[in-house]
Amino acid sequence: MSAPAIPFPLVRVAQWAGEKQLVAAQDVVSGALLVGEYPIAFVDIREGEDEIAPWLLLESILASGPIYDRVSAEDLKLTKWPLSPEDEANIERLARTYKRNARKLVQLYHRVAANNIRYVRGDVIGFGIWPTISRSNHSCDPNARPAGSAKVELAELLIATREIPAGTAICWNYFSDPAFLALDWFERNARLHRDFQFLCRCPRCESERPPGIAGLPRAQLLAYFSSRK
């Protein structure tokens, strides 16, 4: 199946490094607007709710038939990680409340957890799903950055931060914090593994990665990070 057409001429969705990824459709100059889109789902949060934001976003999707259908129709990234007993209890509760199949709800939760993006503009703080931007991966040497529109609420922009050759993956810093990029390999990847359940494989991280870490199973990887705290 060919990648779906998207209304942003500078980028396209293509197979890249084993997954569907946002790449430059042509040579891009620094400062170019790569993507500008509205969320297909969004939920406002209060201070201190960041940790449960994926669950709040998931419930807001389940509460609206049209939004549920819209999110379900998107070919969103699916990143799975083990569910805790508390997570499983939440799934069962939501399945009963909204009369949804629990197994399908697990997949929807994983898609919401993998694709949600934090949004802060003015007085609005929340989490949403911008499906095209979510196709861009994290990098500790990013070539793009997210930026909200000053004029249009909830419009999220993706801006090139340097020249990007055609066919290159579009990547940004998931923490949207320059201080994160100043951390060493261990500190950066400990945070990425804690919050997103992956290790970064960008060229910078590959060059800085300690020998033998890449092939460790998850249990040993967690033990490695715990031993370094």
Side-chain angles (χ1 to χ4, degrees):
M1 182 182 295
S2 60
I6 53 178
F8 312 112
L10 295 183
V11 299
R12 62 188 176 90
V13 175
Q15 286 294 132
W16 194 92
E19 67 174 356
K20 289 182 179 179
Q21 162 77 3
L22 200 66
V23 303
Q26 54 185 281
D27 292 343
V28 174
V29 299
S30 179
L33 173 62
L34 300 166
V35 179
E37 66 179 341
Y38 293 105
I40 57 174
F42 185 84
V43 66
D44 292 297
I45 67 163
R46 295 188 293 269
E47 186 176 349
E49 290 184 332
D50 283 55
E51 237 180 77
I52 62 171
W55 292 104
L56 298 175
L57 182 56
L58 176 62
E59 185 151 16
S60 74
I61 292 168
L62 292 169
S64 168
I67 294 177
Y68 175 86
D69 292 341
R70 178 75 175 89
V71 173
S72 298
E74 283 289 339
D75 183 23
L76 298 172
K77 284 191 292 189
L78 177 59
T79 303
K80 295 182 178 181
W81 50 76
L83 297 177
S84 68
E86 184 181 357
D87 293 336
E88 292 175 349
N90 279 333
I91 291 290
E92 291 295 334
R93 175 183 63 81
L94 292 172
R96 289 194 303 271
T97 301
Y98 295 98
K99 297 179 172 56
R100 297 289 179 180
N101 180 282
R103 288 186 180 180
K104 291 184 177 180
L105 199 50
V106 168
Q107 284 212 342
L108 180 60
Y109 166 71
H110 282 308
R111 293 187 191 280
V112 170
N115 292 275
N116 73 85
I117 297 173
R118 193 174 193 267
Y119 177 94
V120 182
R121 299 291 178 267
D123 295 331
V124 180
I125 302 175
F127 282 75
I129 297 175
W130 291 261
T132 304
I133 293 177
S134 75
R135 277 291 170 195
S136 54
N137 280 342
H138 168 85
S139 173
C140 293
D141 184 24
N143 55 22
R145 64 175 178 85
S149 169
K151 297 181 179 179
V152 185
E153 191 173 286
L154 298 187
E156 189 75 290
L157 314 178
L158 196 61
I159 310 293
T161 56
R162 62 174 183 251
E163 293 184 356
I164 306 174
T168 302
I170 307 297
C171 300
W172 55 286
N173 169 16
Y174 279 3
F175 288 100
S176 299
D177 177 7
F180 170 82
L181 300 178
L183 301 174
D184 64 19
W185 179 91
F186 173 80
E187 292 173 312
R188 295 196 312 271
N189 281 276
R191 287 185 61 184
L192 287 166
H193 195 268
R194 180 196 66 198
D195 291 0
F196 300 106
Q197 300 292 310
F198 71 82
L199 297 185
C200 184
R201 302 184 186 281
C202 72
R204 178 188 174 191
C205 281
E206 288 295 284
S207 68
E208 297 176 4
R209 185 191 306 273
I213 295 301
L216 290 179
R218 186 172 186 275
Q220 292 182 32
L221 191 59
L222 290 174
Y224 172 80
F225 282 123
S226 296
S227 70
R228 291 287 305 273
K229 288 181 180 178

